[in-house]
Amino acid sequence: MDSQTITADAAGTWKLGDLPVHRLGLGAMRLTGSGAFHHGTPSDRARSIAVLRRAIDLGVNHIDTAAFYFSSLRSANELINSALAPYRDDLVIVTKVGPYRTYTGEWGTSARPDELRGHVEENLRQLGRDHLDVVNLRRMPTYDSIAEHFGALAELREAGLIRHLGISNVTPRHLAEAQAIAPVVCVQNRYALDRPDPVSDELLRVCGEQGIAFVPFYAVAGDAGEHGATTAQDEELQAVARAHGASPAQIRIAWTLHRGPHVLAIPGTGNPDHLTENVAAGAIRLTGEELQRLDGLRRKAGRADTP
């Protein structure tokens, strides 16, 4: 597979509300350093800007970010603004609010509903926008119901600061709770080949039935999470990768996209070569037999987690 010639449209398209996007996008978390947040070392600014511009050249028109994506020297939103403003009309920037980090980088108390406007305005300021395309409410463990927080964002949507709303780190109950307040265009939950989660499986199904985008995060990282891509690669996964002349990471992305036409992938990277490979994964078409083998790995991981 020649990754150099493949663009994001190979993955197909979906709509976030009325905003069409290619199903292969870019997560901005890893633009700030070798690990997310305060992990790892800060990135080279010029290289991160080059990654963003290369993503646009490859047809990526969906970027996922947040004001709390920063390292000691880099801010994802500032990098996006510097690299891409003035923004193309077809570029959809999705951000999220709820979590909060202090200027030292430590996690602070998650936002109260009346504080969410400040979170939204900080994203607007950093990105240089007069409105945000999509804002996800990231549910924090400190609140079980999301109604009050989501209602506050719905008011900002009515005020014109936000075009569309999504939710993250939720259950089907939270999705129904949000939908009773305002339309939901996407759901972001942790979801990976080797990390079975019945709750997210159910959400994926419900979103598919209702035409809502399901957007997994850490799909390539697996259990490594914010520390970067996992190094745990099962032999079955490697065998499928060899059959396609691809990397295990590319097969993880391809498997993610095969979960349904409403599933969007947002693999993050600060490496231009990895970006090219990630985008090319959108062109991989897994056979039914290969999907069965990979699904078997998922079931095996689930059994291993059962006490």
Side-chain angles (χ1 to χ4, degrees):
M1 184 175 69
D2 184 2
S3 298
Q4 300 296 323
T5 63
I6 299 172
T7 55
D9 60 336
T13 61
W14 190 257
K15 282 189 175 182
L16 295 173
D18 62 344
L19 303 173
V21 295
H22 293 138
R23 294 177 59 218
L24 200 300
L26 172 67
M29 180 184 290
R30 294 294 301 282
L31 292 173
T32 66
S34 60
F37 312 127
H38 54 280
H39 303 293
T41 57
S43 63
D44 177 81
R45 188 171 185 275
R47 189 168 86 152
S48 292
I49 286 177
V51 166
L52 285 160
R53 291 176 176 165
R54 175 64 175 157
I56 300 302
D57 290 342
L58 289 172
V60 171
N61 60 1
H62 171 206
I63 297 177
D64 180 82
T65 187
F68 55 86
Y69 286 177
F70 64 87
S71 65
S72 60
L73 295 178
R74 306 281 174 256
S75 156
N77 282 353
E78 184 276 328
L79 289 165
I80 292 168
N81 190 345
S82 296
L84 304 181
Y87 300 105
R88 290 173 46 145
D89 290 342
D90 66 341
L91 176 62
V92 177
I93 299 177
V94 179
T95 189
K96 61 187 71 62
V97 296
Y100 170 72
R101 293 174 69 206
T102 69
Y103 68 91
T104 65
E106 297 302 314
W107 290 103
T109 304
S110 56
R112 301 189 309 269
D114 63 327
E115 294 174 324
L116 289 176
R117 184 182 184 106
H119 284 218
V120 167
E121 290 180 344
E122 180 67 3
N123 278 281
L124 287 168
R125 183 188 67 78
Q126 293 178 1
L127 291 167
R129 304 288 296 270
D130 59 6
H131 76 280
L132 298 174
D133 297 324
V134 183
V135 173
N136 286 312
L137 172 66
R138 167 76 176 188
R139 185 182 73 86
M140 303 301 290
T142 51
Y143 48 91
D144 181 49
S145 168
I146 66 171
E148 195 174 356
H149 288 78
F150 194 78
L153 291 181
E155 291 178 3
L156 297 178
R157 175 176 172 268
E158 290 297 320
L161 296 182
I162 301 170
R163 189 161 179 175
H164 296 295
L165 296 173
I167 51 179
S168 176
N169 194 36
V170 294
T171 68
R173 173 174 61 83
H174 297 117
L175 174 57
E177 191 175 33
Q179 287 176 307
I181 298 169
V184 175
V185 302
C186 57
V187 173
Q188 274 195 7
N189 266 33
R190 189 165 184 173
Y191 193 84
L193 172 62
D194 50 7
R195 199 175 189 275
D197 181 352
V199 172
S200 287
D201 282 338
E202 176 64 9
L203 264 174
L204 183 148
R205 183 189 67 78
V206 171
C207 286
E209 291 178 349
Q210 299 184 18
I212 298 169
F214 184 80
V215 190
F217 61 86
Y218 294 153
V220 174
D223 284 339
E226 63 269 22
H227 295 280
T230 181
T231 57
Q233 310 294 3
D234 188 278
E235 173 54 34
E236 288 280 354
L237 175 60
Q238 294 186 50
V240 174
R242 287 193 296 270
H244 288 269
S247 70
Q250 288 178 307
I251 298 302
R252 286 174 178 271
I253 294 169
W255 177 87
T256 301
L257 292 170
H258 277 71
R259 304 309 284 171
H262 64 299
V263 178
L264 311 183
I266 50 169
T269 183
N271 183 313
D273 293 334
H274 289 167
L275 168 72
T276 301
E277 292 177 2
N278 289 345
V279 170
I284 296 175
R285 301 295 182 260
L286 299 172
T287 67
E289 187 270 337
E290 288 170 337
L291 287 170
Q292 288 182 358
R293 292 168 68 183
L294 295 172
D295 290 346
L297 290 181
R298 186 171 172 80
R299 290 191 296 270
K300 177 182 175 182
R303 290 193 297 270
D305 290 340
T306 302

